[in-house]
């Protein structure tokens, strides 16, 4: 029951943090999810805490600004290393079981790369939408300028035709 409670509460907190519009509340919830994942890893070794930390590694780079996402990704990676027992194995002079450490770090690196590429794609899409909005505004402005130029041309034509007609009428009247 303990593993399910920790796992469900960590993912509920994660979902609430994703839905949160307040930046500080989202960061606090992410840190709480890291703590819950570490508790899950320490109390029940075997993978579920690692899954939560994997998900956090993938989403921190996508969710937060760069100055916050890199430290949070590092925090998730360090929490993953320390809570899964990998740190103790790494500090030994002759690490006995390097395979799980390499797998954890490899998966973490791939997920961080995935989060980074999603972030870059998202930023490009946002920039594209901004440029499209600017282009729409410029097109609207150029349409207004074209309309104004056409009005001025018509006004000049009417003025020229009218002044020519009046000049002809004046000459005819004098004649």
């Amino acid at each position: 029951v303990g593993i399910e409670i920790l796992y469900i509460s960590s993912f509920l907190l994660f979902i609430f943090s994703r839905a949160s519009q307040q930046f500080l509340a989202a960061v606090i919830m992410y840190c709480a999810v890291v703590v819950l994942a570490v508790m899950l890893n320490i109390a029940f070794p075997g993978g579920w805490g690692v899954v939560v930390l994997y998900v956090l590694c993938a989403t921190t780079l996508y969710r937060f600004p760069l100055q916050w996402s890199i430290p949070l990704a590092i925090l998730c990676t360090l929490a993953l290393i320390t809570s899964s027992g990998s740190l103790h194995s790494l500090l030994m002079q002759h690490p006995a079981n390097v395979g799980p450490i390499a797998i954890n770090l490899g998966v973490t690196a791939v997920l961080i790369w995935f989060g980074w590429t999603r972030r870059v794609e998202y930023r490009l899409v946002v920039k594209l939408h901004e440029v499209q909005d600017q282009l729409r505004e410029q097109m609207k402005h150029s349409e207004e300028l074209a309309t104004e130029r056409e009005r001025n041309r018509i006004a000049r034509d009417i003025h020229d035709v009218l002044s020519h007609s009046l000049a002809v009428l004046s000459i005819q009247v004098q004649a």
Side-chain angles (χ1 to χ4, degrees):
V1 175
I3 191 170
E4 288 88 5
I5 290 172
L6 284 174
Y7 189 68
I8 291 172
S9 61
S10 64
F11 268 106
L12 284 176
L13 250 167
F14 174 72
I15 290 169
F16 289 144
S17 67
R18 296 279 299 157
S20 175
Q21 297 297 329
Q22 295 180 349
F23 176 74
L24 186 59
V27 170
I28 290 171
M29 284 187 227
Y30 261 64
C31 291
V33 171
V34 169
V35 169
L36 285 173
V38 168
M39 288 173 44
L40 192 61
N41 249 358
I42 291 172
F44 305 102
W48 290 111
V50 173
V51 170
V52 174
L53 289 170
Y54 284 159
V55 170
L56 286 176
C57 285
T59 58
T60 53
L61 287 171
Y62 177 70
R63 169 82 163 99
F64 295 110
L66 195 59
Q67 66 266 21
W68 284 90
S69 62
I70 291 176
L72 283 173
I74 291 171
L75 174 71
C76 291
T77 306
L78 289 175
L80 178 68
I81 291 171
T82 56
S83 66
S84 64
S86 301
L87 184 64
H88 180 40
S89 297
L90 286 174
L91 295 177
M92 295 174 57
Q93 288 182 350
H94 302 289
N97 201 0
V98 182
I101 299 168
I103 290 172
N104 278 342
L105 290 177
V107 170
T108 303
V110 167
L111 289 174
I112 287 174
W113 174 79
F114 177 74
W116 181 260
T117 57
R118 292 284 298 157
R119 176 190 184 87
V120 169
E121 289 171 2
Y122 176 74
R123 296 292 177 197
L124 286 174
V125 168
V126 167
K127 185 69 173 172
L128 179 66
H129 286 296
E130 290 173 357
V131 169
Q132 284 178 339
D133 290 341
Q134 289 175 353
L135 283 173
R136 282 188 195 105
E137 289 175 15
Q138 288 178 355
M139 287 173 55
K140 183 180 175 185
H141 183 67
S142 65
E143 286 175 3
E144 290 171 357
L145 285 175
T147 303
E148 186 66 31
R149 285 185 193 135
E150 186 64 18
R151 284 184 188 144
N152 287 338
R153 186 190 66 77
I154 291 171
R156 271 193 311 273
D157 288 347
I158 290 173
H159 179 266
D160 292 345
V161 168
L162 187 63
S163 65
H164 177 69
S165 298
L166 286 176
V168 168
L169 275 173
S170 173
I171 292 173
Q172 286 178 351
V173 167
Q174 287 176 359

